[in-house]
Amino acid sequence: MDMVMKLGASSAVVIFTKSSCCISHTIETLIHSFGANPTVYELDTHPNGKQIEKALIELGSQPSVPAIFIGKELVGGANEIMSLNVRGKLKQLLIRANAIWV
């Protein structure tokens, strides 16, 4: 779990994904649309991918991907990100995390 928290804090926005997950790609595209440049870890190609996935599940990420950290905190998965976006709160969260500047 420490490795996941360390990776999640390594950048303003971190997305844990799998290369075959279309929802993860959609979330990554949404984050990019605000001008943010997330760090993306594809668990199916990462050497510690299985361990990271297990730790994400232990942290409460269900399903395990996508799992999104913003400002060093686990925000959640696709549902949480889409909900923040629909409510107009995702942009503010990205600004507070210094992921984008306006």
Side-chain angles (χ1 to χ4, degrees):
M1 212 174 313
D2 289 342
M3 178 176 34
V4 169
M5 297 307 287
K6 199 174 288 187
L7 291 172
S10 67
S11 179
V13 180
V14 177
I15 302 173
F16 293 96
T17 182
K18 289 186 179 176
S19 59
S20 61
C21 179
C22 62
I23 297 298
S24 294
H25 176 73
T26 302
I27 295 299
E28 186 179 345
T29 301
L30 174 63
I31 299 286
H32 276 289
S33 75
F34 286 99
N37 189 20
T39 299
V40 179
Y41 294 101
E42 291 189 349
L43 302 185
D44 52 345
T45 60
H46 193 281
N48 296 319
K50 295 230 184 270
Q51 291 173 312
I52 294 170
E53 186 171 12
K54 183 179 177 191
L56 287 169
I57 291 169
E58 289 174 10
L59 286 169
S61 186
Q62 294 289 336
S64 60
V65 294
I68 301 94
F69 282 75
I70 300 176
K72 303 180 182 183
E73 304 226 357
L74 177 61
V75 174
N79 288 343
E80 289 79 13
I81 294 297
M82 294 306 287
S83 176
L84 286 167
N85 188 47
V86 167
R87 294 186 330 226
K89 296 184 176 191
L90 181 56
K91 183 177 181 179
Q92 287 305 113
L93 191 57
L94 293 169
I95 291 169
R96 279 198 309 272
N98 292 319
I100 58 174
W101 299 268
V102 199

